[in-house]
Amino acid sequence: AESESVLESAQALAKELTSAQQRQFALAWAQAGADVGALLQMCSEGWVSTAALADGDVRQALIPKLTAAQREQWQSLTRNVDGAAQQQQWLSRLQGVIGTLPTDAENGFQIFRKHCSACHQLHGQGVVVGPQLDGAITRSTERLLEDIVTPDQNVDKAFRTTSFLMADGRVLVGLVRSETEREINLVDSAGKMITLDADSGDLRREAGRSLMPGNFGEVISPEDFADMMAYIRRARS
């Protein structure tokens, strides 16, 4: 009865969520150690988008926890979903309009601070978790957009994520910053440092993925992208 109540509440909530919010819902569900079978059911019932289930971050948090049967179900649900194609659509749209929009570098700084500064440093602003950006801003606007909107396309080995399936069912994903025989220091996508006992994880899986979310092309508007590019260019000058 309790599980049915949880599913009913999740159904009511999911109907009110945007696609970006559904992705966050699915990611939080997968990472928190909640019943993955219930999440698969929500998707099969149409309460949560299969695109959310196929999202790279959700997949990375979910796959270590799936049984063989659940993995087959996940593959069946996501078979016709191409997340990379969606990212390319966002990228093409942005590259087509970015040079035609008016810009506000001050707003661009606020966008950078909100979405990027927890992991990146530019012109003295932000934290160095991912690549330091003062050297990267010499790249063209087109390449910078590629790096942001399709972050898994070119990932330096030093910045590839690792996922840990914990004994309590949670999945932690981040960059391994240091490691000893006793503990592992991991930085998550919010820039938060997490210390794990070296023997606390049931499964460790390294991935060729970036720590950056893969949906910036959806959550940041073209206008805000244009403003952020203006802030980056101002920092370069």
Side-chain angles (χ1 to χ4, degrees):
E2 183 178 350
S3 61
E4 291 179 1
S5 177
V6 169
L7 284 174
E8 288 175 0
S9 298
Q11 178 185 16
L13 173 63
K15 287 181 177 180
E16 304 299 325
L17 300 180
T18 65
S19 57
Q21 290 169 336
Q22 286 193 355
R23 172 194 174 276
Q24 290 298 323
F25 172 82
L27 181 60
W29 188 282
Q31 289 180 333
D35 181 7
V36 296
L39 180 59
L40 293 173
Q41 181 179 344
M42 292 180 215
C43 291
S44 65
E45 295 286 348
W47 306 344
V48 174
S49 167
T50 52
L53 197 64
D55 175 83
D57 295 329
V58 176
R59 181 179 69 245
Q60 187 174 11
L62 198 60
I63 290 298
K65 304 170 67 173
L66 299 180
T67 65
Q70 288 172 335
R71 187 183 291 259
E72 288 184 7
Q73 185 181 7
W74 178 87
Q75 291 173 339
S76 176
L77 287 167
T78 60
R79 183 171 293 120
N80 296 321
V81 180
D82 190 341
Q86 178 65 77
Q87 288 183 341
Q88 288 298 327
Q89 290 178 11
W90 292 332
L91 179 61
S92 296
R93 179 190 62 172
L94 285 168
Q95 290 179 335
V97 302
I98 199 77
T100 68
L101 298 172
T103 60
D104 179 351
E106 291 301 325
N107 181 58
F109 167 65
Q110 298 302 325
I111 299 303
F112 174 84
R113 187 166 66 174
K114 177 180 179 180
H115 293 287
C116 310
S117 63
C119 292
H120 297 284
Q121 187 177 88
L122 173 63
H123 206 53
Q125 299 288 336
V127 180
V128 181
V129 174
Q132 206 275 353
L133 298 183
D134 285 314
I137 61 177
T138 57
R139 296 172 181 168
S140 67
T141 296
E142 289 75 13
R143 175 54 196 273
L144 285 172
L145 289 173
E146 285 183 6
D147 290 340
I148 298 169
V149 179
T150 59
D152 295 332
Q153 191 163 276
N154 297 286
V155 188
D156 187 283
K157 185 176 181 179
F159 299 108
R160 295 174 185 171
T161 56
T162 301
S163 60
F164 295 84
L165 175 60
M166 310 304 291
D168 60 7
R170 291 176 301 137
V171 176
L172 303 179
V173 178
L175 297 177
V176 175
R177 301 309 302 267
S178 63
E179 185 172 2
T180 67
E181 292 183 356
R182 292 187 174 184
E183 65 180 30
I184 301 169
N185 289 313
L186 189 74
V187 181
D188 68 12
S189 59
K192 179 183 176 182
M193 181 70 75
I194 303 170
T195 300
L196 311 176
D197 290 337
D199 58 356
S200 63
D202 287 347
L203 178 66
R204 172 175 178 162
R205 185 189 301 271
E206 296 184 2
R209 301 194 63 247
S210 169
L211 190 63
M212 286 180 61
N215 67 332
F216 277 148
E218 180 180 23
V219 300
I220 303 178
S221 70
E223 292 76 14
D224 283 344
F225 261 112
D227 290 346
M228 188 164 63
M229 291 299 110
Y231 166 67
I232 290 173
R233 297 311 180 198
R234 187 182 69 176
R236 183 175 65 174
S237 63

